[in-house]
Structure formats: C-alpha cells, structure tokens
Amino acid sequence: MTSNPEQDLSLCRHEESLLRRITNRIRRSLELEEIITVTTAEVRSLLKTDRVMIYKFHADGSGEVIAESIYENRLPSLLGLNFPAEDIPLTARELFIKSRVRSVVNVDTQEIGQIHLRDLDNGETISEEIRYRSVDLCHVEYLTAMGVKSSVIAPILYQNQLWGLLVSHNSQARLISEYELEALQMVVDQLSIAIAQSTLLTQVRKTAEREAIVNRVATLLHSLPTIVLQPALEAVVAAFNGVGGRLCIRNAAFDSDNSNVTSLTECLIPGNNCLKLYICGQQPVLPQQTIYPLIEQYSVWQEHYKSSNYDVWAILDIYKTSSLRTLQVAFQPTKIRSMLIIPLQYRQKLLGYLSIFRDEIDTETLWAGQYDSDQRQLYPRLSFEVWRESKKAQAQKWTVEEIELARELGKHFGSAVQQYELYQQVQAFNENLEKQVKRRTVELQRTSEQEQAVFKVITEIRESLDTATIFQTTTKEVCQLIKADRVSVYRFDSDWGGQFVGDFEAASPHWSNESELGINTIWNDTYLQDTEGGRYRNNETFAADDIYKMGFAQCHIDNLEQFQIYAFVLAPIFVGQKLWGLLATYQHTGSRQWKASEVNFLSQIAGQMGVAVQQAQLHNQSKEQTEKLAEALDDLKQTQTQLIQTEKMSSLGQLVAGVAHEINNPVNFIYGNINHVNDYAEDLLSILDLYLQNTPNPSPEISDRIFEIDLEFLKEDLPKTLSSMKVGVDRIRQIVLSLRNFSRLDEAEMKPVDIHQGIDSTLLILQYRLKAKPKSPDIKLVKEYGDLPLVECYAGPLNQVFMNVLSNAIDALEDYSESQSNPHSSQITISTALGEMEGNVKSVVIRIADNGPGIPEALKARICDPFFTTKAVGKGTGLGLSISYQIIVDKHGGVFKCDSEPGLGTEFWIEIPIKQITKSHHQLP
C-alpha cells in the first residue's frame, strides 16, 4: 500500500479534529450514551465509511449494538440487535485483550490484516505494520450476508477487560491506512476513559440513590414521637420495585413479672400472641386447612437461620428453591416469583423478618438473525433480519447492590424494632410502677396533703413583700386548711403588749361575738408583759384543747370568754433572733382536739411568716434606699451634664479661638500688603506701557518673550487676580470674626448682645451642612428677623443653644430625605420677634422650625432628658437639648419648648428676657 503525503496530512488533520471533538464531548458530558452516539458519527465522518457502530459485550459473552451511524441507508441498521457469543470466537477475544489487536478485512481480496499493539508473550508495547493473511471463508460468508465488503475492528477495553468493539463497515471494498488505524486506536482510548468516568458517575448516582432510600426509611422509623412501621414497610417495598411485602416482628414478648423476653422462635409457635404482622401489596394465599396462619411460621425460616448467620436471603425463583416446596402452593395463585428475606436482628438476637416480593416478568430479546441457543451454529447465518426471542414468566434477579441495600435497611429496622420492644417494656414497667404508686399514694396521702398545704401557704406568703397582704393571705389560707374558726396575727410592741395586725374569721352561724376580735384590736397580757414573751421566747408552740381543763386563772378564763375563745394554738413568730409576734388560731364554737400534725403545721407557718416579715422589712429598707439613690443619681446626672458641657465648651472655645487667632495673623499680613502689591503692579504696568510706546520695535528676543508670556492677557488679568485675592482675604476675615463671635471667649460674662449676629455666626459654621449631598438635596434657609434690641445674656452658651437646635434640625432633615423615595424639599425657618413673659417682662422669641418627619408624642416629652437620644449609636450623646434647656431656663430664666406633629415638622421655641432682673448664681455649664 503506497503512501500519499497529501492524503496523510489530510488524515492527520482529520484525526486531530476528531480527537478534539470527542475529547471535548467527554469533558462536557459524563453521559455515556451521548458520548458514544457522537463518537460513531464522528468516526464514520473521518473514515467516510457506510456504517460505524459500537458493540458492547454482555456477561454471558453475547453482545449488543448500542450505538450506530449509517451513511444514506447504504447498510441496514443493527442498532439494538443482539449477537450470540459464538459469533466472536474466544481466541479472537483473547487477542483483543492481550495484544490489543486491530483487524482489517477485505472481502473482495479475501484478506484480513492485523496490527498488534502489544507483544503476545511479554505484553510490551510494539509498533508494526499491518500484516495481511487469508481470511476464513466462514468470516467472508458472514460479512457477505451482512452486505459488507470491508470492515475495521478495534477493541474497547475497560479495566483490562474487553468491554466492546468499535466496528466500521463499508458496502464497497476500501483500503485502510495506518493513520486511520492510529486514529481509531486514539478514539477507543478516549472511549475507555469515557466508560470509566460514566461507570464512576453511575456508581455515585447509585450510592446517592441508596443513601436517599436509607435516609427516607430511617426518617420514617425514627423521626416520629412513636414508632410507626407501616409507612417504612411501604417505602422499602417501593425502593425494591416490589409488588408486596411483609414485616413480621415480636410483639409484647416481655413478661414484666419475671423480666423474661420470649424469643422469636417461641413467638412463631401457633397459638402464641406475641407476633405482629404488617403487610403491603400482594400477598401469598395460604390454604385454609394449614395449621400455620403465617408463612413465617413454616420451618423453612428457622432451618435457614438456625446457624445464627442472619444474612439476607435472596430467592431468585421460588419454584426452583427446594426448601420452599411446602410454600409454593401459597404463591401459585399470584404472579410472585422472587423473594428477598431480610432477617431483623439486634445484638445477635433475631427480632423478625422483612420480606419483599417481586412478580414474574415476560422478556423479549432482539437477535440479529434467528439464533438457536441450545446448539452451536455450524454454518454462518444467511440473514440478519430481526428475530424476536420471547420468554414468559421469568424471574427478576436480585442485584448485588440491592442485597447490600437490604442489609443496611435491615439494620435500621432491627434498631427500630428493638426500640419498639424497649418502648413496650417501658410501658409494662410503667403500668407496674403505676400500681405500686397507687398503693403508696394511699399511704402517703395525708402527709402529702399537709406538705402541699404548707408549700401552698409558703408560696403565697413569698409572692408578696407587703406585710398587710402577707397577713391577709396567711390567716385566710391557714383558717381554711385546718378548718378553724379564726386565725389572727398578733404583734408585740416595745412593752410586750401588742395588737392584732392580721385576722380572718370563718363565716359560721354557731356563735355571736359582741366584742369581736379584729385588726387593730389591742390585747395586753400581763403574763407576757411581765415575762417579756414568756415561753414563746424559747420558740415554743402552745396548744389548748379546752380552756376549762388547762388550769388557767379565772381572770385569764374571763378574758378568753370575752372573745368566745374555747380552744387555741399560739405559735411564736421570730424575725431574725427576736420574738416579733404570735400566730393565733382560735376555736369559738367549743373545745377542739388539736392534732400533732396541725400544731406542727401552724409552727411551720409561723416560722415562714417570720421570714416573710423580715423580707418585707428588708424590701421597705431597700425601697427607701433606692429612692435616695435615685435622687442622688439625678443630682449626679445634672452634675455630669454640667461638667461635660463645661469641658465641651471650654475645649470648643479654645479650639475656635486658637484657630481664629492663628488664621488672623497671616490674613492681616496679606490684607495689609495687598493694597501695596496692587499699587506696585499698576506702576509696573504703566512703566511697561511707556516702554512699549517708546520702543515700537523691540529686539527679537524681547518679542519672543512677550509672545511667550502673552503680555496683553497678563496686563488684563493681573488686576483681576489681585482684586479676587482681596475679596478672598475679606471673606477669610469675616469667617475669623464669625468664629470669634461664636466662641465669645471675650464675652464670658452676661452683657448686651446682638442675637442676630450670634445666629448668623452659627449659620456660617453650619453652612457646609446646608449644601446638597449625594443622598439628600440642599436645605433651604429662610430668615424672618424682626427688629430686636440688644439682649442681656451669656453670648457663648446662647450660641451653643442655636448650634444644638440647628444641628438636630439638619440631622432630622437629612435622615428624612434619605428615607423618602421622592425628593423632599427640606427647609429651616428662623424667626425672631419681641415678646412678653409672665409678670410683663419684655422678652425676645427665637423660633427655629423645620419641615422634617416630626417627633412622636411619646418621645416629645423626653427629648430634653439627659442622655436620651433617638439617633443611631455614635451619632448623638443625648446631651445637646438637655444642656440647651438648662442654658435657657436655668441660666437665663427663659422658656425652651418644642411643638411637633408627626409628618408636619418640628418647631423649637426659645424665649429669654431682654434684661435679666437678678443675676444667676449658677456656674456656667
């Protein structure tokens, strides 16, 4: 075969282009079907043959055409057709794997050419030319029947195994060059990479799908408050594409009396009621005469798992599994043919079975020509027409991935079933414990009721820190709990007499008390006064069941009869270490046998009352101290505010005065000399004009210089420049004067001042804030000045008031403009006029109003409080308006108030007397 350089060059270019397209396709997509479809079309275009196809081998050695590209229907389509394993001999497959052989067949010349990439003996890579030999007549007849005159085959390998073939067919004889074979080899190498990537992608997808199934089932098993197994069973059946399923588990197998758990084998014995069955979809139908109502009760399960090897049992065909012969009759009414048995275990203990059923299916395989799989074809087939091989009632194979998924799901079900059993055991324990609790509750009820009563009273006492409430609550609760006629609180005074400070009387028609006990009733007991509390000093509680049987003196009995007291209990109340009073419980209707528990209860309540009284006293002391501290805090805030303002004004005044002084000296120098500079410039220009008049033809050097400096423009612009400089210096002097007027360091004492001059000085300092900004337009200033006389005041602090109010107005307008979608026309109006204060005192009124958002009513009352601010953190201290209020009201005896409505703006009213009647003795803030 001769070599054509131009043709070889063209093939090289086609080869590079082909490889780029195929490589780009592999990089853009991981979908194998898309890649092989494009590859067949590109290779056919490169080789210019009639058909290029990709043939993939099956596990049994047969294969299928999975991709195909045909030129103008010159050859019939073989896409989707299967070829038997015998069509490609085993020896040919071994050569494809070991030597990476590529073969070229020419039917007309009946020659086959082969080129080996690797040495058959040592596997080393070699590079040889195509070696031709005679082709078998059988092979020639095979290709002729297919309508092929020439063919090229290159093996596609994946993980050193023969994955498939890249085949090129032509209906006419065609020579193949070594360049084309090299291009084919590069293509199959790229296909090997694509197969590896696609296989990895498939594995990742399967893994993700399996994890999603496991997570979904695990969520159903473990996410609900109670264990629900039916939805999880249905999810598993759907995951395996099953038609039905069963979940058979132990149920109520725990005996709480002896703490034994019945095994699954024992539960499966007919007659036991410790099984629970969940079913989903199609089910086997057991004969009515059988003694086993469940298929799980047949011995086949126990026999299979008697070795304790609880692994998944994948049954491909029920009717071909001898151990299931006794159960086949149950599956015959259904189409179920395959079954997956998943044993559920926990710590080597069998808890149940999860079964998945699959129906039989009908299969159809498309063969390229009729094929007899029972005997080897002795002759090449004469036709490749489609032959359909149909099979009925075929079992569906359980894949390795499905079995692995079954194992993982079995673990989750085993854990869930174990939790279910533990839940049942806990329920049984709870029922048993509840019975015991009921028995113990009867025994402890009396003690519990008393403790609850004590706790209730103590809780209600502790809820209040008011002594009257404590006394009222205690007497009422105790009286109702022990069903006494009266409960009172008696308090000792300094001479150990005392009075009742708390009392509750139970309503009863059985007595009438003309001299009724009650709050503020004084009762001075001589025994208690003489002994300074008697036995109660020793924290003793005294109970009298019947006053006539206690050996009391007659005078004592007479006193008790006066209040119709026939039985009582007195418990001491201690506040700290001091006897404070008594908790008295009286019976008016007659004698009463006081129980020890009742006396003990009253003693506990008295002790808690002492604690409550002490807490109330401490609370009152704390309240008084808090009020004093609040007053001290207010004074401290006022002092702090004054100190801050003093320091602020001092620093600001020094800064402003220093800046004004430093600027003033050079400005005065410039201002004083600028007139002289102007005169000098005029003299020089006049001399220059005379020179030009007397020298009409200057030297070339002077003419060039005149032209270079543009003398005419310089003579015209120099006076203008000096004039502009003079205007600028005047402006600087005005600013310096305004700074000095604002600081008023030379006017610290009260003296007559021009109010308008102070306002204008403040506006000059704030002028830069009135100009437009990127997020807010300029602020229009309207001045409505009246005819005012000089006002006697502190000029510096008054200027600070103007500064604070105007700054707040500018802040409010800027924030309001930024928050509006449409431009807002911001405006500040300053009005001054004469006024009159209380007592016919002549005054001046300065009103500063803006058209901003206004101030809500709830905030308006607090705007002058120290440290209160509505601005963002870092933008305000809350001292400006508070200090302004002090300067106007406290220092000048004036009025400082704010009028505002939301949406209509805000106006500050500043009014001070024209002349101060008395000098203020306060220090300047």
Side-chain angles (χ1 to χ4, degrees):
M1 180 169 54
T2 60
S3 176
N4 186 339
E6 294 183 0
Q7 184 180 4
D8 293 345
L9 179 60
S10 176
L11 286 173
C12 288
R13 292 175 179 173
H14 281 294
E15 176 187 335
E16 292 176 358
S17 177
L18 169 67
L19 289 176
R20 281 198 300 271
R21 290 197 294 271
I22 293 177
T23 303
N24 290 337
R25 176 64 64 180
I26 292 174
R27 290 176 179 174
R28 287 199 304 268
S29 174
L30 293 176
E31 301 297 335
L32 184 61
E33 182 178 355
E34 180 183 351
I35 293 171
I36 61 177
T37 300
V38 173
T39 301
T40 54
E42 295 288 355
V43 173
R44 190 197 58 74
S45 175
L46 172 70
L47 299 181
K48 293 183 172 50
T49 57
D50 296 331
R51 176 172 58 206
V52 172
M53 63 184 186
I54 293 179
Y55 178 86
K56 180 181 179 182
F57 288 102
H58 295 155
D60 60 356
S62 64
E64 179 185 357
V65 177
I66 62 173
E68 181 183 60
S69 176
I70 301 176
Y71 180 68
E72 294 182 352
N73 296 323
R74 290 186 179 179
L75 289 174
S77 175
L78 299 177
L79 184 63
L81 299 186
N82 289 267
F83 290 76
E86 291 79 3
D87 282 15
I88 302 177
L90 184 60
T91 55
R93 299 186 194 190
E94 290 178 352
L95 285 174
F96 282 138
I97 297 174
K98 294 181 178 179
S99 296
R100 307 291 196 266
V101 66
R102 294 157 291 170
S103 64
V104 179
V105 179
N106 191 323
V107 175
D108 288 345
T109 61
Q110 296 189 1
E111 289 182 331
I112 180 171
Q114 293 183 333
I115 183 169
H116 297 257
L117 287 183
R118 292 186 179 178
D119 188 271
L120 189 59
D121 296 328
N122 55 30
E124 293 181 358
T125 302
I126 60 176
S127 178
E128 296 184 359
E129 295 181 354
I130 303 176
R131 298 178 181 178
Y132 287 92
R133 62 175 175 80
S134 297
V135 67
D136 294 338
L137 293 178
C138 182
H139 195 174
V140 172
E141 293 178 12
Y142 188 91
L143 292 176
T144 301
M146 194 179 287
V148 175
K149 290 291 186 178
S150 63
S151 69
V152 181
I153 300 176
I156 303 172
L157 300 177
Y158 171 62
Q159 293 183 347
N160 294 323
Q161 297 295 324
L162 187 59
W163 182 89
L165 301 173
L166 178 62
V167 183
S168 170
H169 286 159
N170 205 49
S171 60
Q172 301 295 326
R174 182 183 182 280
L175 296 177
I176 188 75
S177 68
E178 293 181 2
Y179 293 104
E180 291 174 321
L181 285 177
E182 290 178 0
L184 283 181
Q185 184 60 43
M186 293 180 181
V187 170
V188 296
D189 290 343
Q190 291 297 323
L191 283 176
S192 297
I193 297 173
I195 293 167
Q197 293 177 346
S198 177
T199 303
L200 180 60
L201 174 63
T202 302
Q203 292 174 353
V204 170
R205 286 175 175 172
K206 288 182 179 180
T207 302
E209 182 179 358
R210 188 176 74 180
E211 290 178 354
I213 293 172
V214 172
N215 290 337
R216 184 163 61 251
V217 173
T219 301
L220 291 172
L221 288 173
H222 302 295
S223 64
L224 298 177
T226 58
I227 300 173
V228 182
L229 298 174
Q230 183 66 33
L233 171 62
E234 295 172 358
V236 171
V237 172
F240 286 94
N241 295 320
V243 295
R246 298 167 66 89
L247 177 62
C248 181
I249 61 172
R250 294 190 308 190
N251 180 57
F254 176 70
D255 186 359
S256 59
D257 294 333
N258 52 23
S259 299
N260 288 335
V261 180
T262 307
S263 67
L264 179 64
T265 303
E266 294 173 330
C267 290
L268 289 170
I269 298 174
N272 281 352
N273 59 354
C274 57
L275 276 180
K276 192 165 186 177
L277 179 67
Y278 299 86
I279 62 174
C280 169
Q282 294 185 25
Q283 299 294 316
V285 182
L286 290 173
Q288 295 182 355
Q289 64 273 17
T290 181
I291 63 172
Y292 301 117
L294 303 176
I295 63 172
E296 289 82 4
Q297 292 175 324
Y298 280 72
S299 61
V300 60
W301 316 112
Q302 287 72 33
E303 289 296 325
H304 185 78
Y305 290 111
K306 65 181 180 181
S307 63
S308 299
N309 182 21
Y310 302 127
D311 198 5
V312 175
W313 186 12
I315 302 170
L316 175 62
D317 194 332
I318 294 172
Y319 301 103
K320 294 182 180 180
T321 305
S322 58
S323 60
L324 295 175
R325 185 170 299 172
T326 56
L327 275 175
Q328 290 174 1
V329 64
F331 290 96
Q332 286 174 354
T334 70
K335 290 187 176 183
I336 298 173
R337 199 171 193 90
S338 302
M339 183 164 54
L340 195 66
I341 308 300
I342 307 172
L344 308 181
Q345 61 171 327
Y346 185 80
R347 294 182 178 177
Q348 300 302 316
K349 291 184 179 180
L350 195 60
L351 307 177
Y353 301 105
L354 174 61
S355 307
I356 310 295
F357 305 132
R358 275 183 180 171
D359 276 352
E360 60 189 20
I361 59 173
D362 298 334
T363 63
E364 183 179 70
T365 305
L366 301 180
W367 292 94
Q370 188 171 358
Y371 171 67
D372 187 358
S373 60
D374 293 335
Q375 58 179 320
R376 188 173 184 271
Q377 288 185 267
L378 301 178
Y379 303 100
R381 62 178 63 99
L382 300 178
S383 172
F384 286 85
E385 292 295 329
V386 177
W387 179 63
R388 300 179 183 271
E389 180 186 20
S390 299
K391 294 182 180 181
K392 301 291 185 181
Q394 298 297 302
Q396 299 185 59
K397 183 181 179 181
W398 300 104
T399 65
V400 176
E401 292 80 6
E402 289 175 332
I403 294 173
E404 188 62 32
L405 175 61
R407 290 192 183 103
E408 196 164 351
L409 292 176
K411 295 178 183 178
H412 284 280
F413 267 90
S415 175
V417 172
Q418 175 66 15
Q419 291 180 11
Y420 182 61
E421 287 192 348
L422 291 175
Y423 173 75
Q424 291 178 323
Q425 293 177 19
V426 170
Q427 289 293 99
F429 277 124
N430 287 341
E431 291 177 2
N432 190 20
L433 182 61
E434 187 176 354
K435 294 177 182 178
Q436 297 179 12
V437 169
K438 286 182 179 179
R439 291 195 299 266
R440 294 291 302 274
T441 301
V442 174
E443 299 172 359
L444 300 175
Q445 185 173 4
R446 294 177 182 176
T447 305
S448 176
E449 288 178 354
Q450 181 178 349
E451 290 177 353
Q452 290 177 2
V454 172
F455 179 74
K456 179 182 178 183
V457 175
I458 292 173
T459 301
E460 294 186 359
I461 291 174
R462 295 287 179 87
E463 286 179 351
S464 176
L465 293 174
D466 178 63
T467 54
T469 304
I470 293 172
F471 300 152
Q472 181 182 0
T473 301
T474 304
T475 55
K476 179 180 179 181
E477 292 292 337
V478 172
C479 187
Q480 292 176 347
L481 285 172
I482 66 173
K483 296 178 175 57
D485 293 336
R486 182 188 300 277
V487 175
S488 302
V489 178
Y490 179 81
R491 179 176 181 177
F492 289 108
D493 54 25
S494 59
D495 62 353
W496 295 100
Q499 64 179 353
F500 290 96
V501 294
D503 180 77
F504 182 82
E505 178 185 44
S508 175
H510 302 294
W511 77 86
S512 58
N513 193 348
E514 296 179 358
S515 182
E516 183 180 354
L517 284 174
I519 297 176
N520 298 326
T521 299
I522 298 175
W523 189 336
N524 293 323
D525 189 310
T526 56
Y527 165 75
L528 295 177
Q529 289 179 313
D530 294 341
T531 58
E532 296 184 352
R535 61 168 61 89
Y536 305 110
R537 292 176 59 88
N538 300 320
N539 202 13
E540 294 181 10
T541 299
F542 181 66
D545 298 337
D546 189 337
I547 62 173
Y548 301 108
K549 297 180 181 180
M550 299 300 296
F552 293 151
Q554 187 59 42
C555 62
H556 191 187
I557 293 176
D558 293 341
N559 200 15
L560 292 173
E561 287 179 343
Q562 176 185 354
F563 297 105
Q564 296 185 4
I565 297 172
Y566 301 104
F568 62 86
V569 178
L570 300 178
I573 300 173
F574 278 83
V575 174
Q577 300 297 324
K578 181 180 180 181
L579 180 61
W580 180 87
L582 301 172
L583 177 63
T585 305
Y586 298 122
Q587 201 69 20
H588 296 298
T589 54
S591 62
R592 172 171 174 168
Q593 184 71 34
W594 301 104
K595 298 178 183 179
S597 59
E598 294 173 337
V599 175
N600 183 53
F601 169 68
L602 293 170
S603 178
Q604 293 182 49
I605 296 301
Q608 293 298 325
M609 278 196 66
V611 175
V613 170
Q614 187 176 24
Q615 288 180 344
Q617 291 177 350
L618 292 174
H619 172 70
N620 292 333
Q621 294 175 5
S622 299
K623 189 175 180 180
E624 292 176 359
Q625 292 178 357
T626 301
E627 291 175 354
K628 293 179 180 179
L629 287 174
E631 293 177 1
L633 181 60
D634 289 339
D635 295 340
L636 180 60
K637 284 184 177 181
Q638 295 292 338
T639 303
Q640 184 181 16
T641 302
Q642 293 179 1
L643 289 174
I644 291 174
Q645 176 62 9
T646 301
E647 183 65 22
K648 181 178 178 181
M649 289 303 297
S650 175
S651 300
L652 180 62
Q654 291 176 6
L655 174 64
V656 171
V659 171
H661 177 73
E662 292 299 327
I663 294 174
N664 193 47
N665 287 337
V667 167
N668 286 339
F669 173 79
I670 296 171
Y671 185 81
N673 288 286
I674 198 166
N675 289 330
H676 300 298
V677 173
N678 188 54
D679 293 340
Y680 299 158
E682 289 178 356
D683 293 341
L684 289 175
L685 289 175
S686 63
I687 292 298
L688 181 60
D689 288 338
L690 288 175
Y691 171 76
L692 292 176
Q693 290 175 8
N694 294 322
T695 311
N697 297 313
S699 66
E701 184 179 357
I702 295 176
S703 297
D704 291 342
R705 184 60 177 166
I706 290 173
F707 178 77
E708 182 181 350
I709 66 175
D710 195 355
L711 182 61
E712 291 299 325
F713 173 78
L714 189 149
K715 290 165 59 180
E716 180 182 351
D717 190 59
L718 181 59
K720 296 179 181 179
T721 301
L722 293 172
S723 177
S724 298
M725 291 174 63
K726 184 175 182 181
V727 172
V729 172
D730 288 337
R731 177 63 176 163
I732 295 173
R733 295 185 69 198
Q734 292 175 6
I735 293 173
V736 171
L737 181 60
S738 297
L739 290 174
R740 293 186 60 191
N741 290 336
F742 176 79
S743 63
R744 294 290 187 176
L745 292 181
D746 56 344
E747 298 177 7
E749 298 298 328
M750 184 174 288
K751 59 188 297 186
V753 172
D754 184 355
I755 295 294
H756 292 158
Q757 186 181 25
I759 296 174
D760 291 340
S761 299
T762 306
L763 290 173
L764 181 62
I765 295 173
L766 293 174
Q767 186 175 9
Y768 76 99
R769 296 198 59 190
L770 300 175
K771 297 179 180 179
K773 297 177 180 60
K775 294 184 179 180
S776 59
D778 62 338
I779 300 174
K780 183 180 179 182
L781 184 65
V782 178
K783 294 193 289 187
E784 299 175 352
Y785 289 172
D787 187 10
L788 301 181
L790 296 179
V791 179
E792 193 176 63
C793 63
Y794 293 106
L798 190 61
N799 287 347
Q800 182 64 23
V801 173
F802 299 151
M803 174 67 78
N804 290 336
V805 175
L806 287 169
S807 296
N808 282 342
I810 294 172
D811 289 340
L813 289 172
E814 287 179 347
D815 293 341
Y816 189 56
S817 295
E818 293 176 3
S819 64
Q820 299 299 305
S821 58
N822 297 323
H824 175 68
S825 180
S826 301
Q827 178 175 308
I828 296 177
T829 303
I830 305 175
S831 305
T832 61
L834 292 173
E836 187 172 304
M837 302 175 65
E838 287 187 24
N840 298 325
V841 177
K842 300 298 182 181
S843 64
V844 293
V845 178
I846 304 100
R847 292 182 298 160
I848 302 175
D850 64 65
N851 61 343
I855 303 173
E857 189 65 28
L859 300 179
K860 190 167 65 174
R862 299 185 58 193
I863 59 173
C864 290
D865 292 348
F867 305 105
F868 175 79
T869 179
T870 59
K871 298 179 182 178
V873 176
K875 292 190 66 175
T877 62
L879 293 175
L881 294 180
S882 173
I883 293 171
S884 299
Y885 182 88
Q886 294 179 15
I887 292 172
I888 299 300
V889 177
D890 297 341
K891 302 303 299 175
H892 294 87
V895 176
F896 186 83
K897 62 183 181 179
C898 172
D899 292 327
S900 179
E901 291 186 19
L904 299 180
T906 303
E907 180 182 87
F908 280 90
W909 177 288
I910 303 170
E911 185 176 6
I912 60 175
I914 295 176
K915 291 188 177 182
Q916 296 291 322
I917 300 175
T918 58
K919 298 292 183 179
S920 174
H921 296 286
H922 294 285
Q923 291 293 327
L924 284 177

